[in-house]
Amino acid sequence: MSETLVRIDDLKVHFPIKSGLLFDRTLGYVYAVDGVSLEIRRGETYGLVGESGCGKSTLGRGLLRLVEPTSGEITFDGVDVRSLKGEQLRLFRRRMQMVFQDPMSSLDPRQSVDSLLVEGLKAHDRHRDKAGVRARLRSTLDSVGLPASALSKYPHEFSGGQRQRIGIARALVLGPELIVADEPVSALDVSIQAQVINLLGDLQESLGLTYLVIAHDLAVVRHISDTIGVMYLGSLVEEAQGDQLYERPLHPYTRALLSAVPIPDPRVEDRRERILLAGDLPSPANPPSGCRFRTRCPWSQPRCTAERPELRIFDDSGQRVACHFTAEILTGELRPHEVRAELVHPDEGRTPEVGSELIVTRTDLPTP
Amino acid sequence: AKSDRDSGTEVKSTGGTFIFAGAGDPKNFDPIFNDDGESFRPIRQLYDTLVTHKPGTADLTGGLAESWENDPTGKVWTFKLRQGVKFHDGTALDATAVCANFDRWYNMKGEAAQSQMIYYTDIFGGFAGSPDALYDNCKASDAATAVLTLKKYKGAFPGAFALTAFSIASPAALKQYDADTVTQNGDSFAYSSFANEHPTGTGAFTFGGWNKATGEITLNRNPDYWGDKAKVDKMIIKVIKDENTRKQELRAGTVQAIDFPAPADRKALASEGYKVLDRPAFNILYLGINQKNNPKLKDLRVRQAIAYALNRAQLVQTKGPGGSAVADEFLPNTVLGYATDVQKYAYDVAKAKQLLADAGATGLTLNFYYPTEVSRPYMPNPQEIFTVLANDLQAAGIKVNGVPRPWNGGFKDDVQQFGKQDLHILGWTGDYNDPGNFVGTFFGRGKVEFGDQAMTEMFDAIGKADATVDQSAKKAAFEQVNRDLATKWLPAVPIWHAPPAVVTTKNVAGLVPSPLTAEQFNTVSLTK
Amino acid sequence: MSGIEALADHKRRRIEELIARTADAGGVSLVRDAGRRLLRNPTAIVGGTIIVLFLIVAIFAPLVAPHDPVQRFPELIKDLTVDTIPGATAGHPLGSDPLGRDFASRMIFGARQTLFVGVLATLIGLLLGVLLGAVAGAVGGWIDVLIMRFTDVMLALPSLLLAITLVALASRSTQWTVIIAVAVVNVPIFARLLRGSMLAQRGSDHVLAARALGVKPRNIVLRHMLPNSLTAVIVQATLTFAVAILDAAALSFLGLGDPDINRAEWGLMLGVDGVRYFEVRPELAYFPALAIIVVALGFTLLGEAIREALDPKNRR
Amino acid sequence: MPLLDVRDLSVVFQRKGAEPVRAADGVSFTVEPGQTVGLVGESGCGKSVTSLAIMGLLPRRGNRVTGEVLFDDTDLLTLRPSDLRDRRGRDIGMIFQDPLSSLNPVIPLGVQVAEVLERHRGRSRQAALREARGLLDAVGIPDPARRLKEFPHQLSGGMRQRALIAIALACKPRLLIADEPTTALDVTIQAQILTLLKELVDDSGTALVMITHDLGVVAGLCDTVNVMYAGKVVERAGRHQLFGEPRHPYTEGLLQSVPRLDVDRGGRLHQIRGSVTDNIPWSAGCAFAPRCDRVIDDCIGDTVPLEPTFRGGALRCTNPVPTEVPA
Amino acid sequence: MVRVISRRLIQLVATVLALMTLVFFWLRSLPGGPVDALLGERATPQTRELLTRALGYDQPIWVQYGRFLKNVVTGNFGNSIRTGEPVTAVIGRAFPATVELAVAAIIIAIGLGIPLGYLAARHRGRLLDNATIIVTLIGISIPIFFLGYLLKDWLTQGIHVFPPSGRISTGLDNTDVTGLFVLDGLLTREFDASADALWHLVLPAFTLATIPLAIIIRITRASVLDVLDEDYIRTADAKGLRNATIRKRHVLRNALLPVVTTIGLQTGALLAGAVLTEKVYNWGGLGTLITDSISGGRDYPVLQALILLAAVVFIVVNLVVDLSYAIIDPRVRVQ
Ligand SMILES: Nc1ncnc2c1ncn2[C@@H]1O[C@H](COP(=O)(O)OP(=O)(O)OP(=O)(O)O)[C@@H](O)[C@H]1O
Ligand SMILES: Nc1ncnc2c1ncn2[C@@H]1O[C@H](COP(=O)(O)OP(=O)(O)OP(=O)(O)O)[C@@H](O)[C@H]1O
Ligand SMILES: [Mg+2]
Ligand SMILES: [Mg+2]
């Protein structure tokens, strides 16, 4: 067992929903991350899966303090990250980096690869030694499998996979210990995906990196993660070693998720039993009481409405699960029942709102 | 003087509606509260003055008073009133009514009202209680004789009695419609219903209404008019502010006469068969010289140099409206006291340069103020005039620093109140036939405009001339003043007299243009 | 060893060649890429040509113009009266203007003055707007609210009305009054545009990435948010130029324009002399009007083309 | 007789000042009544273009479509536009990838379902709406009566996709073309939709063309699978065949490069070098050649033809992956 | 809905108040000012002083501001310096004139703009489209006062197709009910007056409509093209709907959404354009009033009220447009 690099304790990130007459007022919150605790050990890969909108990215960003957590604790290598202020925090960022989902939008289209990479060095005042910088850029590019000639090019001149490599190189250039990779492959073509996944693995091996990999593709997560956390509507519902999770999913949601993933093998597919979940993920602005999953859970019981289950260690395998009836479901004592889909209206905050501006300025219109 | 108006010849109405395009909105129709031509145009049709001008001239003739007399002190004026004249409300015009008007003006209450009686303050000095007030009393010695007593002689009379502002209104109507109430509201004033809806005079037309939405003032023929009854049934004064639009409306046949055509349009209109009627010039444009800010300008030679530097003949040729002429004096030649033998400053750059050199004023730089956003009969296009004059001055080695100011947004203030300029262009349209109204107004006392406080000799000479009761002596005195103005004082340089025109369609007859723009339209008839 | 490396040399080279042909040429920034697309766009070419010609005339006016634009010529004055303006004569291809100046030279120098007014009005508006917008977008919070409410106040009056009001309320009337009035009108537009764009940038991944790198906030604003927000502003500025000279002409027409009629500026020439002497000599209106239309058209076309070129929808 | 017979379908996009793009190049496949046919391939390989060309839905300008699309022995490509309109929605239904943008945002859902019935079944608005309610219910949208009056933005992604399916199946078409119907959805929702599709197709005997880039989706759903690369079908086989014994190096590479949930292969994944943009023109040989591990000299030169395999499939490769049973 | 309206109204009041305060202090800091404006050429220093006192300009600025605010709040804007009438009356008279003109212009702009824009989009890249684009480009590049001037010169001089200026023939003596002459004629059954007013309206309305028309054409065209590219149009096509149905039900409605916003913004352009158009055609509306209040003597009370009115109209129209947007676009929820 290696040491813990990151500890997250009861992390909450709530986004205020604002509106107001002259000045904005908070009307409610989007409970994007609502009490997550986890640990990531040095050198391991922690995979985070869950449906869209369940708060994975927010958790990752909250961890890096790219969004300000509402409450909770983050400890990175013994440092209390949440207490870091301004310049302290900025300098601390060197140790934790991020790789983004969309390799195009996360690279400033106006900067050449060179300046993209140098930027981080500049920020940490490591760009004085010109020769050293060159060498560093070269070796970094090399480590992500790009030729040195890439330096003078611009992001849009690369293919998706190459762009993602640039994104990874940018994260690597400062020599971080932790990399949060937010859906690093989901925007990539299937044939490219493997390249990036392999690259991440290679880099971890050679540099001893620690990863928090966020993805919605369970297969990918399973492939690269040592530990997998399953998120649902802002909280962690289950956490286990990769194989363990696949072999013995405890939480009803995990079970459903696993059974839903299509497998490119007709023989397997033909034999599979599916647990079909009814309905959609509820809005994080208005989460159900008690167990967040109860509205879709085929095993839900009255208790689930009243009481929110804690994430607790289930047995000595270390597997953690947040369900009141884990044991009963596992033994088959509790039988699944029919669930009526509850209608979920899509995210309220996203509808375009009219009326905030006194006068709209469509500036593409000439005036007389 | 004696009236020579022949009354009684009854001319029958030719009928029809005569539409005249004016250039701006009137303010109201109470004569005493007005001072601008656009208000006076309808007022002149609605009212009469005691003394008036012979059509087409600035010469005085009898109005409501058939004759008038001045006593030797010049303080007492006796008016013999015309008999049988009735106001539009049916009341009779008599001496009591005339005196009621003088009393009304003198006793006007309230700063609001008083501040709007521009002509009255100017001519009569002030109101009841003011030491400067000229008015003493007015008595009706009989129904047909009004005797006005002033505190002292003033050269402006009798000409000033012909001022439209001093038109005689019906005392009954004034009272009934609360004419003296001028209320202040915000930054301005509201006038009585007399002034707006019920103007009641003795004029050839009665008030038909003012449609502000369409800018039409309707005047109806007064069948009981004491003089020549109007030939048209109705007259409409249509307000069209844009000179170009006035011309187009004339061409479209929707109006029969337009005032103040653009100088550039005169030729075209004349060639198209419209009647372009020039008014005899009764105005003056001058280049003012302010001696205060630049000491060099106190030197007569420098001022003369400026006069020589200006190619006024060329200005008149290129920019002068039709019929305009170079001005050598500050008053038109029809006015009493015009001297035929003043020094003329013909264009002579060499001389200008020489004079400047003599005065040690080479390399002179002058701030030349000129107005924008305005067009006046004597100054149809100030920007062009400035440009040409500045050009001339530059050619003589005077550096000109042009300072444009909006007419109402700073020009008048800067020039007349604060005297910020070294040079400026400004002008004047005479109100009545009296030299005092021209040179007296400009140079009769020290004014900020000219910064000439020290020229007491000039003030005294003008003051004396103005106070001369005897007309021929007065004439001689003013002739001398004009000569001295040109040679000795030269506080400003006269530029031109520019007669404003009136244009009518071919079928309009009988319109007699007045130098004072004081046309009366009862003589107008429409032919087929 | 497998794959193309294992192929015969000539085949491999052939493949590489073929790939290279379908792939992008290297080393071009987005801006240059947009530039290339611009050059292929006929709209841009027409607009660009107009503007280049205009610029050339403006810059080399003293060389192109036959005469001094403010000099009055005796040979022109000779026949000049208030209702006759001489037409073309020897040495004066377009004849005289109302003051006996060479009209052709004034038209040519007009390019220069018009450029001056347009460019300055645009630049001043741009500068102030960008400043306000950048501060609002970068600082946020109360300052943002304050600045936005301030732009509301300015936007509450339609642009030309605001310009008219500003000129009317200006204590002096000079060419600068006009330039500033026309410029100020655009300040809130630029400010809003930039702020909106900066806010969008603020939430974007590449700004987040820069923050994650620990880039100083000031540098994030200056190197990421601002440059990426400026494109919209630049497009707007191009279009604003056209509007600016039209506004200046409108002010002249209303009698609120540049009071110095010695200055040869198309808007002024059209709004003052052109209208006043239209019947005497319509060319005085037609030429400046045509010049304005063509140049405004040029800038509008170019602006639209730039917008199109920068639009990611049109990228390849 | 196949229900749909696509023969040598090519689509070339021609844009001013740009090289013509051969988005689909000689695509041929057939769909038997009631059969489910898969069309898989990576982004940009021409799947959507092919399906749109079949439906005659490509933008009218800037492209050239050649070949034949025989539906019931009628060539849809040469059909009069109005006749084609009569068939669309009635004989062939289609669902698209992004359910939000594929529904008109300003028209109530009910009308959007009803109008297709009004058009092809001649129903009155009232009757059509009543029927629409049943349809929404059938695709598993809760409280369908209320949904009829709602607008697309008021529904979640999964519900929208259900609505689209209801529209496509409203007239009980004989063929349904589904273009990546689940790509925009979460896995749990994807499972719902796929299950629903399968049920509906099975119940009604509708033939289905399933377009997807997810090999897993076709593995569970299709009878025959066509693998496309750079505008061409490179391999066709029954699904067991295809997943069991892929012949084309590209198919094989794909299968090996995706991580699988059920087996932890551990370590490195197989990877295909380069990227899809590393193409060479088809006329110069196999487009996949630059990325191919099995490339040989013959791969470069002439167009490689799509040749039938003895097991009823087809293959376009000069150096295919060997099988136990020699071809 | 109520929230948005109240929010916007509060904003409106705050904005307008700020605007008025700015204008007030600016005006007071000017040379000349109302005193100067009220006095003609013949003013003596004496009258000047009388007037300064009468108007209370000798009082401290805060007192003046307080009085000004009180007046504004009570809807009293004082009297016009030029005409002496209450400002409200002056504006009340001019307002319908501009409304009439602006409404006619917007009717022309919408009535022609949307069909033309739609046609251009349908004929994309063809002659009609290109011609429309060129004409609209010229439409927004031409100084509109000059266009008005030309139209007037061509159509009212020599050949007198239209009357050169004004809102109604002189001396027609129409009855004024609403101030909208065309409407008044219908209301009072003075149909000749109605026709005459309409006849006067044609040229100014077309002149004023030029820019909005050009813009609406362009926006409609672009918007239709955008909508035609939308996925839901493809869906509609896939449903086999008839072309006419698609056009009417699916394309037009969506394509008009951006046009609505544009129309709101064009009110601003109309107000500004009215200043020029009304000057060209001597149209006694707000535009003329603005020019007159500035050039004809710095009529500050009128000017202040006009600024206020323009701001309120512009903002309110935008509010109405936003609200109507919320009605036609179900996606937009007014919170
Ligand atoms: N800046 C923000 N302001 C308000 N709400 C936010 C913000 N960022 C995210 N949210 C909301 O928080 C919730 C969780 O978002 P998050 O991006 O973390 O989800 P996710 O699991 O990463 O989903 P996906 O798979 O789609 O990326 C969502 O409902 C989202 O709308
Ligand atoms: N209108 C068009 N004009 C030009 N090229 C086009 C057009 N539509 C598609 N293409 C090109 O045709 C090729 C095939 O596109 P298509 O949309 O069919 O891919 P796809 O297989 O459906 O991919 P995805 O999985 O991303 O949907 C792409 O290279 C694309 O760039
Ligand atoms: Mg995410
Ligand atoms: Mg597709």
Side-chain angles (χ1 to χ4, degrees), chain A residues 18-22 24-25 27 348 351-362 364-368, chain E residues 3-4 6-8 10-12 15 140 211 215 219 258 261-262 265 269 272 314-315 318 322 331-333 335:
Chain A
K18 285 185 172 169
S19 172
L21 285 179
L22 260 189
D24 284 344
R25 222 152 38 84
L27 299 178
E348 321 246 312
T351 41
E353 184 194 342
V354 145
S356 51
E357 294 288 3
L358 197 57
I359 289 162
V360 213
T361 32
R362 277 282 298 268
D364 50 342
L365 304 173
T367 49
Chain E
R3 273 183 66 84
V4 163
S6 51
R7 175 191 170 123
R8 291 273 291 264
I10 291 172
Q11 275 185 7
L12 185 154
T15 305
I140 52 177
I211 287 171
I215 288 172
I219 297 287
T261 318
T262 309
L265 286 171
F314 192 34
I315 296 173
N318 269 281
D322 277 2
R331 279 169 301 183
V332 175
R333 221 187 6 191
Q335 296 178 328

Side-chain angles (χ1 to χ4, degrees), chain A residues 39-91:
Chain A
E39 281 182 20
I40 307 173
R41 284 181 298 276
R42 193 182 285 279
E44 84 159 358
T45 301
Y46 190 105
L48 208 54
V49 284
E51 283 177 283
S52 173
C54 69
K56 307 181 296 290
S57 301
T58 308
L59 177 61
R61 287 172 189 189
L63 162 62
L64 300 189
R65 282 193 60 196
L66 291 172
V67 297
E68 209 45 59
T70 313
S71 70
E73 271 170 40
I74 303 166
T75 322
F76 182 96
D77 197 18
V79 180
D80 178 4
V81 177
R82 286 209 61 203
S83 71
L84 294 176
K85 296 238 162 50
E87 195 65 2
Q88 271 177 321
L89 174 65
R90 190 177 75 74
L91 293 173

Side-chain angles (χ1 to χ4, degrees), chain B residues 146-157:
Chain B
V147 181
L148 171 71
T149 309
L150 302 176
K151 292 210 175 93
K152 62 175 196 265
Y153 171 75
K154 180 147 182 165
F157 299 119

